[in-house]
Amino acid sequence: MDIENVILAKVHEGEEDHSEAILKSEKLQQDLFFMERVLMENVFQPKLATYRQLPILKEPEPGESKSLEEEKPDKAEEEVKREGDEEIEISIEQSTIPANLERLWSFSCDLTKGLNVSSLAWNKVNTWPERIFHSPHGVTSVDFSISSPNLLAVGYHNGTIAIYNVQSSSNVPILDSSESPQKHLGPVWQVQWIEQDRGSTSNDKRETLVSVSADGRVSKWTIRKGLDCRDLMRLRRTATANTKKSTEKAKKGETFISRQAPGMCFAFHPKDTNIYLAGTEEGLIHKCSCSYNEQYLETYRGHKFGPSDCECC
């Protein structure tokens, strides 16, 4: 009996250890995650369907003979008829009916309560937010890679740039520019992955990371032993004197280069990725080329006071 009890105790102990391993396994955590998503989609199905303009599914009441599939054609006919009636009513009284919005849902997170949102980017493959990373510094910009959607580039307020692998369970970035002598010295207001041509054919492209900072630099980052960069442009403040000569130069597109201008944003040409626009804090938009890092191709003077003048161009 003693031997039998010892054997049963060992078997029971082995089962407990096995159960604990299952509970802590990544496979179970992933299964629970997908199960939670399915349940949430069931709960919010009417609102999600309204948002995506899909049929709203209704579970049959006890005793109903029709299935969901049998109800769909009838509901579709009712929707078409109702839409036709609504169009007639709107055309008659459209001048008296005020515009209205239906609130579908709102998202909130206690971790970000009271904090400012400085950047927003959607993953190119998976558009659901699934991970929370706690950063050591204030985040000013983010962007997901195009060719490797698991890579997330982050720009910090202290000038550091980091790259995270969102598929990894680690919260530590796989690369960062904190040790780079070329790192930015001001807040990184935008980071973006850019696909640029590297060969004679249009299909031969490579992806690079570009950033703009308040230190007046538009930089292109490469991965070697760590993150290193070269400057595509050093943004300079432009000033035109109230002299006839300066006015003539301004008309010709020439500008007087003085001190650096904090960079706020940039946008690359959709076809010719050698050309890009850069917006500065002084309210100017400069047309630039990757082949020149000191001279603007052209300057647009649409804004008056910089990013806070509340104008859109």
Side-chain angles (χ1 to χ4, degrees):
M1 291 297 295
D2 293 336
I3 295 175
E4 184 178 354
N5 290 335
V6 170
I7 293 174
L8 290 175
K10 289 291 184 182
V11 171
H12 184 63
E13 183 180 349
E15 290 178 351
E16 287 183 348
D17 294 340
H18 187 60
S19 300
E20 185 177 356
I22 293 176
L23 291 174
K24 293 182 178 180
S25 66
E26 292 186 4
K27 181 65 169 61
L28 179 62
Q29 297 297 324
Q30 185 179 18
D31 292 342
L32 291 174
F33 169 78
F34 286 117
M35 181 60 68
E36 181 184 21
R37 176 175 292 181
V38 170
L39 292 175
M40 294 303 293
E41 288 184 352
N42 289 339
V43 173
F44 292 102
Q45 197 280 329
K47 291 186 176 182
L48 290 171
T50 302
Y51 176 71
R52 299 183 180 275
Q53 299 180 354
L54 298 173
I56 298 177
L57 303 179
K58 182 181 178 182
E59 293 187 7
E61 298 292 336
E64 287 183 355
S65 58
K66 287 187 176 182
S67 63
L68 291 175
E69 288 75 12
E70 292 174 344
E71 289 182 356
K72 282 184 181 178
D74 297 337
K75 285 191 175 183
E77 293 177 2
E78 291 178 3
E79 287 291 335
V80 172
K81 184 178 180 181
R82 185 157 59 263
E83 287 179 1
D85 296 339
E86 288 178 354
E87 288 180 1
I88 296 174
E89 293 177 0
I90 291 174
S91 63
I92 297 173
E93 303 180 3
Q94 60 182 358
S95 60
T96 60
I97 298 177
N100 62 344
L101 297 173
E102 179 185 357
R103 183 173 181 176
L104 297 178
W105 61 76
S106 61
F107 297 99
S108 62
C109 179
D110 293 337
L111 293 174
T112 59
K113 192 173 183 179
L115 301 178
N116 296 322
V117 176
S118 56
S119 183
L120 186 67
W122 293 102
N123 189 289
K124 277 68 174 178
V125 174
N126 185 7
T127 56
W128 287 81
E130 298 177 352
R131 295 286 305 278
I132 296 176
F133 291 92
H134 297 271
S135 61
H137 312 286
V139 174
T140 49
S141 54
V142 293
D143 192 43
F144 281 98
S145 169
I146 303 169
S147 59
S148 302
N150 59 302
L151 298 182
L152 174 65
V154 178
Y156 290 126
H157 192 271
N158 71 339
T160 302
I161 288 178
I163 297 179
Y164 289 84
N165 180 8
V166 298
Q167 288 183 339
S168 171
S169 59
S170 173
N171 290 329
V172 179
I174 56 176
L175 289 170
D176 69 71
S177 65
S178 59
E179 301 297 327
S180 172
Q182 303 296 325
K183 72 174 183 179
H184 288 296
L185 302 178
V188 183
W189 291 123
Q190 184 179 355
V191 291
Q192 186 177 354
W193 298 89
I194 305 295
E195 286 186 330
Q196 291 186 308
D197 298 333
R198 65 176 179 181
S200 57
T201 63
S202 58
N203 294 329
D204 189 12
K205 295 181 180 294
R206 62 178 176 182
E207 190 177 49
T208 59
L209 181 64
V210 179
S211 63
V212 66
S213 170
D215 62 5
R217 294 160 52 204
V218 181
S219 302
K220 179 179 178 180
W221 296 85
T222 56
I223 300 175
R224 294 175 183 171
K225 292 182 179 179
L227 275 179
D228 198 8
C229 74
R230 69 176 182 89
D231 291 337
L232 296 179
M233 175 61 69
R234 290 182 176 268
L235 302 170
R236 307 291 182 182
R237 291 189 181 276
T238 60
T240 303
N242 292 326
T243 62
K244 184 177 180 180
K245 185 177 180 180
S246 297
T247 304
E248 290 176 355
K249 285 186 176 182
K251 289 181 179 179
K252 293 179 181 179
E254 298 179 15
T255 55
F256 176 74
I257 297 179
S258 57
R259 50 202 175 92
Q260 65 184 23
M264 303 299 297
C265 57
F266 63 85
F268 276 75
H269 194 284
K271 294 182 179 178
D272 185 0
T273 53
N274 191 53
I275 303 298
Y276 63 95
L277 300 176
T280 65
E281 191 181 51
E282 58 185 342
L284 301 179
I285 300 174
H286 302 293
K287 183 179 179 181
C288 307
S289 171
C290 293
S291 302
Y292 307 98
N293 62 357
E294 291 286 345
Q295 184 178 0
Y296 306 134
L297 300 181
E298 196 168 351
T299 296
Y300 307 96
R301 302 176 179 274
H303 295 276
K304 300 176 182 177
F305 310 111
S308 61
D309 63 356
C310 299
E311 293 182 351
C312 295
C313 296

